[in-house]
Amino acid sequence: MKEIGAENLAVPPKALAIAARKGLKIKGVHYFEVGRTNPRKRRGPNDPLKDLIVGDHLEAIHYVLEHTDHRGGMTDLGRRREMVK
């Protein structure tokens, strides 16, 4: 919690991105099916969990891009293409 910040644990993908950026050891321990924990709220194509999950991942992507470059700190493997403006 000291490295990641307790407030960031509410958004698991962001917490994972922060942990990776800080060089913490990351290990998968078990699978968790989010939708199974509260099936009453799921109603067809308007699943409220979908927006929550997508939003959490977008927040993590934003964090990575905020703390790296436009490639998320990843190399282009020597393919030096011009950026489209």
Side-chain angles (χ1 to χ4, degrees):
M1 266 199 278
K2 289 179 186 178
E3 293 291 327
I4 296 172
E7 68 281 2
N8 292 313
L9 294 176
V11 183
K14 182 178 180 183
L16 180 63
I18 294 169
R21 181 172 178 270
K22 294 187 178 242
L24 300 179
K25 184 177 179 181
I26 299 171
K27 179 180 176 185
V29 292
H30 59 81
Y31 174 77
F32 183 78
E33 189 175 342
V34 177
R36 183 176 286 194
T37 62
N38 201 346
R40 292 175 298 156
K41 291 184 179 179
R42 293 172 36 145
R43 291 191 170 70
N46 298 324
D47 182 354
L49 290 176
K50 180 175 67 174
D51 290 339
L52 175 68
I53 293 167
V54 170
D56 285 356
H57 283 81
L58 288 173
E59 196 170 334
I61 291 167
H62 181 261
Y63 172 84
V64 169
L65 293 176
E66 208 173 41
H67 291 89
T68 60
D69 57 18
H70 70 281
R71 294 188 56 85
M74 304 304 259
T75 180
D76 66 358
L77 300 174
R79 297 181 294 251
R80 309 217 187 274
R81 296 182 184 174
E82 294 281 330
M83 284 185 53
V84 177
K85 293 182 182 180

